[in-house]
Amino acid sequence: MRVEINEFIIADSKICHGQPTFKGTRVMVSIVLEMLQDNATIKEILEAYPSLTKEHISAALEFAAELAGRRFK
């Protein structure tokens, strides 16, 4: 099963066990968010993952904000 989360992020059961990844890569969104949490700069993230762009990082932050805003029962 493949779910398009936004323009840059998908969740595909055949890629990284269904964890959200950036389209066309095997880079998990959680890795980028963890790097940001650890105070990595955008430049450092892009150097570590050259297949990503600033737009990918923005999409990850938007995804995280959306999740944080959800109500959980």
Side-chain angles (χ1 to χ4, degrees):
M1 175 192 285
R2 178 182 169 120
V3 177
E4 302 253 344
I5 295 171
N6 63 34
E7 182 181 352
F8 295 96
I9 300 172
I10 62 164
D12 187 327
S13 60
K14 296 178 183 177
I15 302 170
C16 297
H17 305 285
Q19 294 295 313
T21 58
F22 296 100
K23 287 182 186 177
T25 76
R26 297 183 70 79
V27 180
M28 291 185 290
V29 173
S30 61
I31 291 173
V32 169
L33 294 173
E34 288 170 5
M35 289 179 77
L36 290 168
Q37 179 184 10
D38 292 338
N39 296 315
T41 65
I42 292 174
K43 181 180 177 185
E44 290 169 330
I45 295 169
L46 298 178
E47 287 173 355
Y49 298 98
S51 60
L52 301 183
T53 65
K54 290 180 182 179
E55 289 80 12
H56 287 98
I57 297 169
S58 292
L61 290 170
E62 289 174 20
F63 175 60
E66 180 182 323
L67 287 177
R70 289 187 182 173
R71 290 184 176 244
F72 295 94
K73 294 182 181 182

